[in-house]
Amino acid sequence: MSIWKYQYFVDVINLRSFTEAGKKNFVSQTAISQQISKLEKNVGGKLINRGNGEVAPTELGKLVYKRAVEILELDEQLMREIKEIVCN
């Protein structure tokens, strides 16, 4: 699974907007929606409640959000450690 799905999901939750998440990541709102849909299929359930212009995580979404943040933090840490080794 692509790490971008996690990044897009975290951004949608943090920004409370598919459109703003798209702008942040330089992709269309449609691309964000498609990736979130794929992530929902992968985990087997709905991650985001959408309605009346509101975006909020479901209970499953809260769990995935928590773990997605951890995954993204680990990815950043790995990149820093790799850079440290390669640059020395």
Side-chain angles (χ1 to χ4, degrees), residues 60-73:
L60 179 59
K62 290 175 185 176
L63 171 63
V64 172
Y65 174 84
K66 177 182 174 184
R67 297 300 184 202
V69 168
E70 292 172 359
I71 289 167
L72 294 170
E73 288 171 352

Side-chain angles (χ1 to χ4, degrees), residues 4-37:
W4 285 107
K5 289 177 187 163
Y6 295 123
Q7 184 65 61
Y8 294 165
F9 177 66
V10 167
D11 288 341
V12 167
I13 297 303
N14 288 344
L15 298 169
R16 298 175 188 224
S17 169
F18 284 77
T19 302
E20 293 304 315
K23 288 178 186 177
K24 179 181 178 196
N25 291 285
F26 304 101
V27 297
S28 69
Q29 177 272 330
T30 302
I32 296 288
S33 293
Q34 289 172 344
Q35 292 300 310
I36 299 295
S37 291

